[in-house]
Amino acid sequence: MTNTLLLSKPLTAHQCRDRVSEADFQRAMDFSEARASEYLTWRAMLYDYFGHLVEIAYNGAGAPEIVGSNLNIGVSHCVDCVAVVISEGLCAVDVERKDRDVKRISQRFITPQERELCSSEQELVALWCARECYYKLRQDRSLSMLTDIHVVALDMAAEVVTVEDNRTERASFRIEQTAEHFIVYMV
């Protein structure tokens, strides 16, 4: 089974020019510089992985997918990191800087029970990534980040976080760390 996590710093449009399709490049020219960089970088990463261009479409939930393939992909980016997961099964990824200020988010979206799972403010970032990753995995826009999604276990030593929703669906994700980032993903 193919289970892969790819990470890269965002590349400039110029750096991606020969690694993406002409259509990708032209579409990105309508975006802001930062958005174009993210868009072109994850596509270049995917094309490099396969060794050729693949057709990418977006499903009804807005998630990217490879047309005509049994492989699934998940994409995430922050200001200085782009992450792509590739899997034969359902997959999702979220990446955030460890120093992201999540105080405003945590007041609105992190429950007191979830806060007790964290021994530091930095772990709140990992917890937030897990919520985002679960939302992406379920591809159900009717799920509320506020009321439907709950982190039920966070084990930084084991690098695992478990999330469930009010419909009793449950998923466990891997937590990977770099010096600057948390990457939460399921492949």
Side-chain angles (χ1 to χ4, degrees):
M1 176 185 265
T2 299
N3 294 314
T4 304
L5 171 67
L6 306 173
L7 299 173
S8 175
K9 291 190 177 296
L11 305 171
T12 66
H14 177 73
Q15 291 171 311
C16 293
R17 182 70 174 107
D18 295 330
R19 296 171 57 192
V20 298
S21 72
E22 182 64 25
D24 290 337
F25 189 81
Q26 291 305 317
R27 182 162 189 233
M29 295 304 97
D30 292 334
F31 302 153
S32 69
E33 186 177 336
R35 173 75 176 105
S37 172
E38 295 160 353
Y39 175 84
L40 292 172
T41 299
W42 75 259
R43 286 169 178 261
M45 292 166 65
L46 196 63
Y47 301 153
D48 289 351
Y49 175 81
F50 287 105
H52 58 85
L53 299 177
V54 293
E55 185 179 349
I56 300 168
Y58 292 87
N59 66 22
E65 56 188 18
I66 303 170
V67 175
S69 174
N70 66 338
L71 297 176
N72 296 293
I73 59 174
V75 176
S76 184
H77 45 77
C78 63
V79 68
D80 61 350
C81 187
V82 178
V84 176
V85 292
I86 304 164
S87 179
E88 290 178 357
L90 290 177
C91 62
V93 63
D94 195 61
V95 60
E96 293 289 349
R97 287 195 54 83
K98 287 180 174 179
D99 61 1
R100 178 176 178 188
D101 183 1
V102 293
K103 289 181 181 126
R104 202 177 56 195
I105 294 170
S106 69
Q107 292 171 355
R108 291 183 48 212
F109 293 105
I110 297 176
T111 67
Q113 295 85 358
E114 289 172 330
R115 191 173 285 282
E116 289 179 15
L117 298 173
C118 299
S119 61
S120 71
E121 288 293 312
Q122 201 173 62
E123 288 181 6
L124 285 173
V125 176
L127 191 138
W128 174 251
C129 282
R131 288 172 141 273
E132 285 279 329
C133 197
Y134 186 87
Y135 185 81
K136 291 175 183 181
L137 179 73
R138 289 292 169 235
Q139 297 185 19
D140 181 351
R141 291 185 174 172
S142 71
L143 283 175
S144 165
M145 289 287 285
L146 179 62
T147 59
D148 293 334
I149 298 173
H150 312 284
V151 176
V152 294
L154 177 65
D155 187 337
M156 296 301 289
E159 300 178 323
V160 175
V161 59
T162 303
V163 185
E164 67 183 19
D165 65 43
N166 290 343
R167 299 174 186 131
T168 66
E169 294 289 329
R170 182 179 273 223
S172 291
F173 301 98
R174 179 174 164 84
I175 302 169
E176 198 161 305
Q177 298 184 56
T178 67
E180 296 89 20
H181 302 94
F182 284 115
I183 304 100
V184 175
Y185 62 100
M186 171 185 260
V187 292

